Amino acid sequence: MVHVHLNERNNGACPLCQRRLDCGIISEITKACEKKAKPLNDEEMEVVIYRCPMFKEE
């Protein structure tokens, strides 16, 4: 199983978004990665989203 982590460095849109805990886009990215990604070394992926059409600032 692949674990998708949203930008732990706190830059980009997601850490500042009100919708980050219930984001349909991130949910779909996670589902796609679980189906398609074949981890070679570890089972983590960090994702940074700088712009998002669903962004709503906290």
Side-chain angles (χ1 to χ4, degrees):
M1 173 180 256
V2 174
H3 299 281
V4 178
H5 295 282
L6 282 179
N7 189 11
E8 296 176 1
R9 295 180 191 119
N10 289 329
N11 59 350
C14 297
L16 305 174
C17 185
Q18 287 183 4
R19 298 179 174 146
R20 73 183 175 278
L21 299 176
D22 186 34
C23 179
I25 293 171
I26 297 305
S27 176
E28 291 299 316
I29 289 171
T30 301
K31 287 179 193 174
C33 289
E34 287 175 354
K35 290 179 185 177
K36 300 289 183 183
K38 305 294 183 209
L40 297 176
N41 298 319
D42 60 31
E43 296 179 349
E44 294 183 359
M45 177 184 296
E46 182 179 6
V47 176
V48 179
I49 298 174
Y50 291 104
R51 295 180 65 191
C52 176
M54 302 300 291
F55 179 76
K56 184 174 181 184
E57 192 169 357
E58 280 192 327

Short mmCIF file of all heavy atoms in Angstrom, two decimals:
data_model
loop_
_atom_site.label_atom_id
_atom_site.label_comp_id
_atom_site.label_asym_id
_atom_site.label_seq_id
_atom_site.Cartn_x
_atom_site.Cartn_y
_atom_site.Cartn_z
N MET A 1 0.84 -1.18 0.00
CA MET A 1 0.00 0.00 0.00
C MET A 1 0.88 1.25 0.00
O MET A 1 1.89 1.32 0.69
CB MET A 1 -0.91 -0.01 1.23
CG MET A 1 -1.70 1.27 1.39
SD MET A 1 -2.76 1.26 2.84
CE MET A 1 -4.30 0.99 2.03
N VAL A 2 0.51 2.24 -0.77
CA VAL A 2 1.23 3.51 -0.86
C VAL A 2 0.54 4.52 0.04
O VAL A 2 -0.67 4.66 0.03
CB VAL A 2 1.24 4.02 -2.32
CG1 VAL A 2 1.84 5.40 -2.40
CG2 VAL A 2 1.97 3.06 -3.22
N HIS A 3 1.32 5.24 0.83
CA HIS A 3 0.79 6.30 1.67
C HIS A 3 1.14 7.63 1.04
O HIS A 3 2.31 7.90 0.79
CB HIS A 3 1.37 6.21 3.08
CG HIS A 3 1.04 4.93 3.76
ND1 HIS A 3 -0.19 4.71 4.34
CD2 HIS A 3 1.74 3.81 3.94
CE1 HIS A 3 -0.21 3.49 4.85
NE2 HIS A 3 0.96 2.92 4.61
N VAL A 4 0.15 8.47 0.77
CA VAL A 4 0.38 9.78 0.18
C VAL A 4 0.34 10.81 1.31
O VAL A 4 -0.64 10.92 2.02
CB VAL A 4 -0.69 10.10 -0.87
CG1 VAL A 4 -0.48 11.50 -1.44
CG2 VAL A 4 -0.68 9.07 -1.99
N HIS A 5 1.46 11.52 1.46
CA HIS A 5 1.55 12.56 2.49
C HIS A 5 1.50 13.91 1.80
O HIS A 5 2.19 14.14 0.81
CB HIS A 5 2.86 12.45 3.27
CG HIS A 5 2.95 11.20 4.06
ND1 HIS A 5 2.29 11.03 5.25
CD2 HIS A 5 3.59 10.03 3.82
CE1 HIS A 5 2.54 9.82 5.71
NE2 HIS A 5 3.33 9.20 4.86
N LEU A 6 0.70 14.81 2.33
CA LEU A 6 0.65 16.16 1.80
C LEU A 6 1.78 16.98 2.40
O LEU A 6 1.88 17.12 3.61
CB LEU A 6 -0.67 16.83 2.13
CG LEU A 6 -1.83 16.41 1.28
CD1 LEU A 6 -3.07 17.13 1.73
CD2 LEU A 6 -1.55 16.70 -0.17
N ASN A 7 2.65 17.43 1.58
CA ASN A 7 3.67 18.41 1.86
C ASN A 7 3.94 18.67 3.33
O ASN A 7 3.38 19.58 3.92
CB ASN A 7 3.25 19.70 1.16
CG ASN A 7 4.33 20.71 1.20
OD1 ASN A 7 5.45 20.40 1.55
ND2 ASN A 7 4.01 21.91 0.83
N GLU A 8 4.83 17.92 3.88
CA GLU A 8 5.18 18.09 5.29
C GLU A 8 6.05 19.32 5.55
O GLU A 8 6.33 19.65 6.68
CB GLU A 8 5.87 16.82 5.78
CG GLU A 8 4.94 15.63 5.74
CD GLU A 8 5.59 14.32 6.12
OE1 GLU A 8 6.80 14.33 6.44
OE2 GLU A 8 4.90 13.31 6.10
N ARG A 9 6.46 20.02 4.51
CA ARG A 9 7.27 21.23 4.67
C ARG A 9 6.41 22.48 4.82
O ARG A 9 6.90 23.58 4.95
CB ARG A 9 8.20 21.38 3.47
CG ARG A 9 9.19 20.25 3.43
CD ARG A 9 10.14 20.36 2.25
NE ARG A 9 10.85 19.11 2.16
CZ ARG A 9 10.81 18.30 1.12
NH1 ARG A 9 10.11 18.62 0.05
NH2 ARG A 9 11.46 17.17 1.13
N ASN A 10 5.10 22.31 4.73
CA ASN A 10 4.12 23.39 4.92
C ASN A 10 4.21 24.53 3.92
O ASN A 10 3.93 25.67 4.25
CB ASN A 10 4.19 23.92 6.35
CG ASN A 10 3.64 22.93 7.34
OD1 ASN A 10 2.75 22.14 7.03
ND2 ASN A 10 4.19 22.91 8.52
N ASN A 11 4.63 24.22 2.70
CA ASN A 11 4.50 25.22 1.64
C ASN A 11 3.50 24.65 0.63
O ASN A 11 3.09 23.51 0.71
CB ASN A 11 5.84 25.59 1.01
CG ASN A 11 6.56 24.41 0.40
OD1 ASN A 11 6.17 23.26 0.58
ND2 ASN A 11 7.62 24.67 -0.31
N GLY A 12 3.08 25.45 -0.30
CA GLY A 12 2.03 25.02 -1.21
C GLY A 12 0.67 25.37 -0.65
O GLY A 12 0.53 25.98 0.40
N ALA A 13 -0.38 24.97 -1.35
CA ALA A 13 -1.75 25.36 -0.98
C ALA A 13 -2.35 24.50 0.13
O ALA A 13 -3.05 25.01 0.99
CB ALA A 13 -2.63 25.29 -2.23
N CYS A 14 -2.10 23.21 0.11
CA CYS A 14 -2.83 22.28 1.00
C CYS A 14 -2.70 22.57 2.49
O CYS A 14 -3.70 22.52 3.19
CB CYS A 14 -2.45 20.85 0.69
SG CYS A 14 -2.91 20.35 -0.98
N PRO A 15 -1.52 22.87 3.01
CA PRO A 15 -1.44 23.13 4.44
C PRO A 15 -2.24 24.37 4.88
O PRO A 15 -2.55 24.52 6.05
CB PRO A 15 0.05 23.34 4.70
CG PRO A 15 0.73 22.66 3.58
CD PRO A 15 -0.18 22.82 2.42
N LEU A 16 -2.56 25.25 3.94
CA LEU A 16 -3.28 26.49 4.24
C LEU A 16 -4.76 26.42 3.88
O LEU A 16 -5.47 27.42 3.99
CB LEU A 16 -2.63 27.65 3.48
CG LEU A 16 -1.13 27.84 3.70
CD1 LEU A 16 -0.60 28.92 2.77
CD2 LEU A 16 -0.85 28.17 5.15
N CYS A 17 -5.23 25.25 3.49
CA CYS A 17 -6.59 25.13 2.97
C CYS A 17 -7.56 24.58 4.02
O CYS A 17 -7.26 23.61 4.72
CB CYS A 17 -6.59 24.20 1.76
SG CYS A 17 -8.21 24.08 0.95
N GLN A 18 -8.72 25.19 4.12
CA GLN A 18 -9.78 24.72 5.02
C GLN A 18 -10.28 23.33 4.64
O GLN A 18 -10.78 22.60 5.48
CB GLN A 18 -10.96 25.68 5.00
CG GLN A 18 -10.74 26.99 5.69
CD GLN A 18 -12.00 27.85 5.68
OE1 GLN A 18 -13.05 27.43 5.22
NE2 GLN A 18 -11.88 29.07 6.18
N ARG A 19 -10.18 22.98 3.39
CA ARG A 19 -10.75 21.72 2.89
C ARG A 19 -9.78 20.55 2.93
O ARG A 19 -10.13 19.45 2.49
CB ARG A 19 -11.23 21.93 1.46
CG ARG A 19 -12.31 22.97 1.38
CD ARG A 19 -12.77 23.17 -0.03
NE ARG A 19 -13.89 24.08 -0.02
CZ ARG A 19 -14.15 24.96 -0.95
NH1 ARG A 19 -13.38 25.05 -2.00
NH2 ARG A 19 -15.19 25.75 -0.85
N ARG A 20 -8.58 20.73 3.47
CA ARG A 20 -7.55 19.70 3.38
C ARG A 20 -7.93 18.38 4.04
O ARG A 20 -7.47 17.33 3.62
CB ARG A 20 -6.22 20.21 3.91
CG ARG A 20 -6.14 20.35 5.40
CD ARG A 20 -4.80 20.95 5.83
NE ARG A 20 -4.78 21.20 7.25
CZ ARG A 20 -5.31 22.25 7.84
NH1 ARG A 20 -5.88 23.19 7.11
NH2 ARG A 20 -5.25 22.40 9.15
N LEU A 21 -8.75 18.41 5.08
CA LEU A 21 -9.11 17.17 5.78
C LEU A 21 -10.21 16.39 5.07
O LEU A 21 -10.40 15.20 5.33
CB LEU A 21 -9.53 17.48 7.22
CG LEU A 21 -8.44 18.13 8.08
CD1 LEU A 21 -8.99 18.48 9.46
CD2 LEU A 21 -7.23 17.21 8.19
N ASP A 22 -10.93 17.05 4.17
CA ASP A 22 -12.00 16.39 3.43
C ASP A 22 -11.90 16.77 1.95
O ASP A 22 -12.83 17.30 1.36
CB ASP A 22 -13.36 16.82 4.01
CG ASP A 22 -14.51 16.06 3.38
OD1 ASP A 22 -14.32 14.88 3.04
OD2 ASP A 22 -15.59 16.65 3.22
N CYS A 23 -10.73 16.48 1.37
CA CYS A 23 -10.45 16.90 0.00
C CYS A 23 -10.69 15.76 -0.99
O CYS A 23 -10.01 14.73 -0.92
CB CYS A 23 -9.00 17.39 -0.10
SG CYS A 23 -8.57 17.90 -1.77
N GLY A 24 -11.62 15.95 -1.88
CA GLY A 24 -11.89 14.95 -2.90
C GLY A 24 -10.74 14.75 -3.87
O GLY A 24 -10.52 13.64 -4.36
N ILE A 25 -10.00 15.80 -4.15
CA ILE A 25 -8.87 15.70 -5.07
C ILE A 25 -7.79 14.82 -4.46
O ILE A 25 -7.27 13.90 -5.11
CB ILE A 25 -8.32 17.10 -5.42
CG1 ILE A 25 -9.37 17.86 -6.23
CG2 ILE A 25 -7.00 16.99 -6.17
CD1 ILE A 25 -9.04 19.32 -6.46
N ILE A 26 -7.44 15.06 -3.20
CA ILE A 26 -6.42 14.26 -2.53
C ILE A 26 -6.90 12.81 -2.40
O ILE A 26 -6.12 11.87 -2.56
CB ILE A 26 -6.06 14.85 -1.16
CG1 ILE A 26 -5.45 16.24 -1.33
CG2 ILE A 26 -5.12 13.93 -0.39
CD1 ILE A 26 -4.25 16.30 -2.25
N SER A 27 -8.17 12.64 -2.14
CA SER A 27 -8.73 11.28 -2.05
C SER A 27 -8.54 10.52 -3.36
O SER A 27 -8.14 9.35 -3.38
CB SER A 27 -10.21 11.36 -1.68
OG SER A 27 -10.79 10.10 -1.68
N GLU A 28 -8.81 11.18 -4.47
CA GLU A 28 -8.66 10.55 -5.79
C GLU A 28 -7.18 10.29 -6.12
O GLU A 28 -6.85 9.26 -6.71
CB GLU A 28 -9.31 11.40 -6.87
CG GLU A 28 -10.83 11.43 -6.77
CD GLU A 28 -11.45 10.04 -6.91
OE1 GLU A 28 -11.04 9.26 -7.80
OE2 GLU A 28 -12.36 9.74 -6.12
N ILE A 29 -6.30 11.21 -5.74
CA ILE A 29 -4.87 10.99 -5.95
C ILE A 29 -4.42 9.76 -5.18
O ILE A 29 -3.67 8.92 -5.69
CB ILE A 29 -4.05 12.24 -5.53
CG1 ILE A 29 -4.28 13.37 -6.52
CG2 ILE A 29 -2.57 11.92 -5.42
CD1 ILE A 29 -3.69 14.71 -6.09
N THR A 30 -4.86 9.64 -3.94
CA THR A 30 -4.49 8.50 -3.10
C THR A 30 -5.00 7.20 -3.71
O THR A 30 -4.26 6.21 -3.79
CB THR A 30 -5.03 8.69 -1.68
OG1 THR A 30 -4.48 9.89 -1.14
CG2 THR A 30 -4.65 7.52 -0.79
N LYS A 31 -6.24 7.18 -4.17
CA LYS A 31 -6.81 5.97 -4.79
C LYS A 31 -6.02 5.58 -6.04
O LYS A 31 -5.73 4.41 -6.26
CB LYS A 31 -8.27 6.20 -5.16
CG LYS A 31 -9.20 6.21 -3.98
CD LYS A 31 -10.62 6.47 -4.47
CE LYS A 31 -11.55 6.81 -3.32
NZ LYS A 31 -12.88 7.21 -3.80
N ALA A 32 -5.69 6.58 -6.86
CA ALA A 32 -4.93 6.29 -8.09
C ALA A 32 -3.55 5.74 -7.77
O ALA A 32 -3.09 4.79 -8.43
CB ALA A 32 -4.80 7.56 -8.93
N CYS A 33 -2.90 6.29 -6.76
CA CYS A 33 -1.57 5.81 -6.38
C CYS A 33 -1.64 4.38 -5.84
O CYS A 33 -0.75 3.57 -6.10
CB CYS A 33 -0.95 6.74 -5.35
SG CYS A 33 -0.46 8.32 -6.04
N GLU A 34 -2.67 4.08 -5.09
CA GLU A 34 -2.81 2.73 -4.55
C GLU A 34 -2.98 1.70 -5.68
O GLU A 34 -2.49 0.59 -5.59
CB GLU A 34 -4.00 2.65 -3.59
CG GLU A 34 -3.72 3.32 -2.27
CD GLU A 34 -4.94 3.35 -1.35
OE1 GLU A 34 -6.04 2.95 -1.77
OE2 GLU A 34 -4.77 3.79 -0.20
N LYS A 35 -3.64 2.11 -6.76
CA LYS A 35 -3.86 1.21 -7.89
C LYS A 35 -2.65 1.10 -8.81
O LYS A 35 -2.35 0.05 -9.34
CB LYS A 35 -5.06 1.69 -8.72
CG LYS A 35 -6.38 1.52 -8.04
CD LYS A 35 -7.50 2.03 -8.92
CE LYS A 35 -8.83 1.97 -8.19
NZ LYS A 35 -9.91 2.52 -9.01
N LYS A 36 -1.94 2.22 -9.00
CA LYS A 36 -0.90 2.28 -10.03
C LYS A 36 0.53 2.25 -9.53
O LYS A 36 1.41 1.77 -10.22
CB LYS A 36 -1.07 3.56 -10.87
CG LYS A 36 -2.39 3.65 -11.58
CD LYS A 36 -2.47 2.67 -12.72
CE LYS A 36 -3.77 2.83 -13.48
NZ LYS A 36 -3.90 1.86 -14.54
N ALA A 37 0.78 2.79 -8.35
CA ALA A 37 2.17 2.92 -7.88
C ALA A 37 2.69 1.59 -7.35
O ALA A 37 2.03 0.91 -6.60
CB ALA A 37 2.26 3.98 -6.78
N LYS A 38 3.89 1.26 -7.76
CA LYS A 38 4.57 0.06 -7.30
C LYS A 38 5.84 0.51 -6.59
O LYS A 38 6.85 0.79 -7.22
CB LYS A 38 4.93 -0.86 -8.48
CG LYS A 38 3.75 -1.24 -9.35
CD LYS A 38 2.76 -2.10 -8.58
CE LYS A 38 1.63 -2.50 -9.51
NZ LYS A 38 0.39 -2.73 -8.86
N PRO A 39 5.79 0.65 -5.25
CA PRO A 39 6.96 1.16 -4.52
C PRO A 39 8.20 0.30 -4.72
O PRO A 39 8.13 -0.92 -4.69
CB PRO A 39 6.52 1.13 -3.07
CG PRO A 39 5.05 0.89 -3.07
CD PRO A 39 4.70 0.28 -4.38
N LEU A 40 9.34 0.95 -4.91
CA LEU A 40 10.61 0.26 -5.05
C LEU A 40 11.38 0.26 -3.73
O LEU A 40 12.01 -0.73 -3.38
CB LEU A 40 11.46 0.92 -6.14
CG LEU A 40 10.88 0.86 -7.54
CD1 LEU A 40 11.77 1.63 -8.50
CD2 LEU A 40 10.71 -0.57 -8.00
N ASN A 41 11.35 1.37 -3.00
CA ASN A 41 12.13 1.48 -1.77
C ASN A 41 11.26 1.55 -0.52
O ASN A 41 11.38 0.74 0.36
CB ASN A 41 13.04 2.70 -1.83
CG ASN A 41 14.03 2.59 -2.97
OD1 ASN A 41 14.58 1.52 -3.21
ND2 ASN A 41 14.25 3.66 -3.69
N ASP A 42 10.43 2.55 -0.45
CA ASP A 42 9.53 2.67 0.69
C ASP A 42 8.11 2.81 0.17
O ASP A 42 7.86 2.73 -1.02
CB ASP A 42 9.92 3.83 1.60
CG ASP A 42 9.90 5.18 0.90
OD1 ASP A 42 9.08 5.36 -0.02
OD2 ASP A 42 10.66 6.06 1.28
N GLU A 43 7.19 3.00 1.05
CA GLU A 43 5.80 3.05 0.64
C GLU A 43 5.18 4.41 0.90
O GLU A 43 3.99 4.52 1.16
CB GLU A 43 5.02 1.96 1.38
CG GLU A 43 5.49 0.57 1.02
CD GLU A 43 4.75 -0.51 1.78
OE1 GLU A 43 4.02 -0.20 2.72
OE2 GLU A 43 4.91 -1.67 1.41
N GLU A 44 5.99 5.47 0.82
CA GLU A 44 5.49 6.81 1.05
C GLU A 44 5.73 7.70 -0.16
O GLU A 44 6.72 7.55 -0.86
CB GLU A 44 6.16 7.44 2.27
CG GLU A 44 5.82 6.74 3.56
CD GLU A 44 6.42 7.43 4.77
OE1 GLU A 44 7.13 8.43 4.62
OE2 GLU A 44 6.17 6.94 5.87
N MET A 45 4.81 8.62 -0.36
CA MET A 45 4.93 9.61 -1.44
C MET A 45 4.53 10.95 -0.85
O MET A 45 3.51 11.06 -0.18
CB MET A 45 4.00 9.25 -2.59
CG MET A 45 4.00 10.25 -3.71
SD MET A 45 2.79 9.84 -5.00
CE MET A 45 3.42 8.29 -5.60
N GLU A 46 5.35 11.96 -1.08
CA GLU A 46 5.02 13.31 -0.64
C GLU A 46 4.49 14.08 -1.84
O GLU A 46 5.10 14.08 -2.90
CB GLU A 46 6.23 14.02 -0.05
CG GLU A 46 5.89 15.41 0.46
CD GLU A 46 7.08 16.13 1.07
OE1 GLU A 46 8.20 15.61 1.00
OE2 GLU A 46 6.88 17.22 1.60
N VAL A 47 3.37 14.75 -1.66
CA VAL A 47 2.73 15.50 -2.73
C VAL A 47 2.68 16.97 -2.34
O VAL A 47 2.28 17.30 -1.22
CB VAL A 47 1.29 14.98 -2.98
CG1 VAL A 47 0.59 15.81 -4.03
CG2 VAL A 47 1.32 13.52 -3.39
N VAL A 48 3.07 17.85 -3.26
CA VAL A 48 2.98 19.29 -3.05
C VAL A 48 2.06 19.85 -4.13
O VAL A 48 2.30 19.65 -5.32
CB VAL A 48 4.36 19.97 -3.15
CG1 VAL A 48 4.22 21.47 -2.94
CG2 VAL A 48 5.32 19.38 -2.14
N ILE A 49 1.01 20.52 -3.71
CA ILE A 49 0.09 21.16 -4.65
C ILE A 49 0.19 22.66 -4.41
O ILE A 49 -0.12 23.14 -3.32
CB ILE A 49 -1.36 20.67 -4.44
CG1 ILE A 49 -1.42 19.17 -4.72
CG2 ILE A 49 -2.33 21.46 -5.31
CD1 ILE A 49 -2.74 18.52 -4.42
N TYR A 50 0.64 23.39 -5.42
CA TYR A 50 0.84 24.82 -5.27
C TYR A 50 -0.40 25.62 -5.61
O TYR A 50 -0.64 26.68 -5.03
CB TYR A 50 2.03 25.30 -6.12
CG TYR A 50 3.33 24.78 -5.58
CD1 TYR A 50 3.99 23.73 -6.19
CD2 TYR A 50 3.89 25.32 -4.43
CE1 TYR A 50 5.18 23.24 -5.68
CE2 TYR A 50 5.07 24.83 -3.91
CZ TYR A 50 5.71 23.79 -4.55
OH TYR A 50 6.89 23.30 -4.03
N ARG A 51 -1.18 25.12 -6.54
CA ARG A 51 -2.42 25.79 -6.92
C ARG A 51 -3.51 24.75 -7.03
O ARG A 51 -3.29 23.65 -7.52
CB ARG A 51 -2.25 26.50 -8.27
CG ARG A 51 -1.24 27.63 -8.20
CD ARG A 51 -1.09 28.30 -9.52
NE ARG A 51 -2.35 28.95 -9.86
CZ ARG A 51 -2.62 29.46 -11.05
NH1 ARG A 51 -1.75 29.39 -12.01
NH2 ARG A 51 -3.77 30.03 -11.30
N CYS A 52 -4.70 25.10 -6.59
CA CYS A 52 -5.81 24.16 -6.61
C CYS A 52 -7.12 24.92 -6.84
O CYS A 52 -7.35 25.95 -6.19
CB CYS A 52 -5.87 23.41 -5.29
SG CYS A 52 -7.28 22.29 -5.17
N PRO A 53 -7.98 24.43 -7.71
CA PRO A 53 -9.26 25.12 -7.97
C PRO A 53 -10.21 25.06 -6.78
O PRO A 53 -11.15 25.83 -6.70
CB PRO A 53 -9.83 24.38 -9.18
CG PRO A 53 -9.19 23.04 -9.14
CD PRO A 53 -7.83 23.24 -8.55
N MET A 54 -9.96 24.16 -5.82
CA MET A 54 -10.82 24.01 -4.66
C MET A 54 -10.29 24.73 -3.42
O MET A 54 -10.88 24.69 -2.36
CB MET A 54 -10.98 22.52 -4.32
CG MET A 54 -11.54 21.69 -5.45
SD MET A 54 -13.18 22.24 -5.95
CE MET A 54 -14.11 21.76 -4.51
N PHE A 55 -9.17 25.44 -3.56
CA PHE A 55 -8.51 26.08 -2.43
C PHE A 55 -9.41 27.10 -1.74
O PHE A 55 -10.04 27.94 -2.37
CB PHE A 55 -7.23 26.77 -2.89
CG PHE A 55 -6.49 27.48 -1.79
CD1 PHE A 55 -5.74 26.77 -0.88
CD2 PHE A 55 -6.55 28.85 -1.67
CE1 PHE A 55 -5.05 27.40 0.15
CE2 PHE A 55 -5.86 29.51 -0.65
CZ PHE A 55 -5.11 28.78 0.25
N LYS A 56 -9.49 26.99 -0.41
CA LYS A 56 -10.20 27.97 0.42
C LYS A 56 -9.32 28.24 1.62
O LYS A 56 -9.11 27.37 2.46
CB LYS A 56 -11.57 27.44 0.86
CG LYS A 56 -12.37 28.45 1.61
CD LYS A 56 -13.77 27.94 1.89
CE LYS A 56 -14.54 29.00 2.64
NZ LYS A 56 -15.87 28.52 3.02
N GLU A 57 -8.78 29.45 1.71
CA GLU A 57 -7.81 29.79 2.74
C GLU A 57 -8.41 29.71 4.14
O GLU A 57 -9.56 30.06 4.35
CB GLU A 57 -7.26 31.20 2.50
CG GLU A 57 -6.06 31.52 3.34
CD GLU A 57 -5.38 32.81 2.90
OE1 GLU A 57 -5.81 33.43 1.91
OE2 GLU A 57 -4.40 33.19 3.56
N GLU A 58 -7.59 29.21 5.09
CA GLU A 58 -8.04 29.14 6.48
C GLU A 58 -8.23 30.51 7.05
O GLU A 58 -7.59 31.45 6.76
CB GLU A 58 -6.99 28.40 7.34
CG GLU A 58 -7.08 26.94 7.21
CD GLU A 58 -6.23 26.23 8.28
OE1 GLU A 58 -5.18 26.75 8.68
OE2 GLU A 58 -6.66 25.15 8.68
#
